[in-house]
Amino acid sequence: IWSFFKTQDSPEVEATLQNRYEELRRSMLDLSIPKSLYGPTIFDSDQRNVGRGSAASQWLLPASSNTSETEMLLVSPDTQASAVVVYPAPSSSTCQAGFYIDKALVSTSPALLESKCTLCPVDTYQPVANVDTMCHACPPGSSTAQETGAEICVKVEEHLIAPWLVMIGWVMVGV
């Protein structure tokens, strides 16, 4: 590999990959780098790196303390992990009432520590600050009056509102 990419100001990696790909691939069949930035790099007959397993970390709340501050904890390899991997990854902060952690944002958002909170959909609610991945459905007969981000659901009793009061409300909305 060193013969392909000697230290120089601007190696032509793209040209090498396009024009000498097979030659490069064959030279990597016997690749063994005992000391590298990533530790030992040694490939087996199936071209899998068996020199050293990869490490992974995740921002999590430490299990052994009562703090709300997240820490970067090692979750892989299992033999060295200080925490178990959490999937989907938790949000960086607790969502306020009326919001929930959106799993789609957790898996697609590039920033690890940005908020993953989304407004609760219509006819669902979230009454308190939370780390839930969904909002509660409104009980039968109640709704959020077509609003998102509800903290409560309301049940309208038609016979409790005088018809003239409803009419005044419609007039006021129209103005």
Side-chain angles (χ1 to χ4, degrees):
I1 289 186
W2 300 116
S3 63
F4 286 92
F5 304 111
K6 294 192 186 295
T7 305
Q8 56 184 336
D9 290 337
S10 56
E12 295 184 26
V13 175
E14 190 172 321
T16 301
L17 289 174
Q18 288 177 354
N19 304 327
R20 298 173 63 195
Y21 177 80
E22 185 59 25
E23 189 180 346
L24 176 62
R25 188 189 71 77
R26 287 179 186 262
S27 71
M28 292 177 70
L29 291 176
D30 297 328
L31 181 66
S32 177
I33 305 171
K35 291 183 180 180
S36 74
L37 178 65
Y38 304 103
T41 304
I42 303 165
F43 291 93
D44 66 6
S45 61
D46 296 318
Q47 280 68 54
R48 293 190 180 109
N49 184 1
V50 294
R52 178 178 181 209
S54 60
S57 59
Q58 188 174 26
W59 286 96
L60 298 169
L61 291 171
S64 60
S65 71
N66 294 330
T67 181
S68 62
E69 295 293 318
T70 56
E71 292 181 2
M72 185 181 284
L73 300 173
L74 183 68
V75 294
S76 176
D78 292 337
T79 57
Q80 298 165 341
S82 60
V84 176
V85 68
V86 176
Y87 181 82
S91 177
S92 63
S93 60
T94 301
C95 295
Q96 64 189 22
F99 289 78
Y100 70 102
I101 296 174
D102 188 341
K103 286 192 227 181
L105 288 177
V106 170
S107 62
T108 60
S109 181
L112 290 175
L113 296 179
E114 77 178 16
S115 176
K116 308 292 192 268
C117 299
T118 300
L119 288 168
C120 289
V122 172
D123 290 337
T124 65
Y125 71 103
Q126 190 58 262
V128 295
N130 67 90
V131 292
D132 296 341
T133 56
M134 60 191 299
C135 295
H136 306 284
C138 287
S142 65
S143 75
T144 61
Q146 299 302 312
E147 296 291 326
T148 58
E151 296 178 27
I152 60 169
C153 293
V154 294
K155 185 173 183 177
V156 177
E157 297 285 343
E158 296 295 329
H159 65 281
L160 295 178
I161 302 174
W164 61 270
L165 189 56
V166 172
M167 184 61 79
I168 290 174
W170 284 110
V171 170
M172 296 303 282
V173 169
V175 174

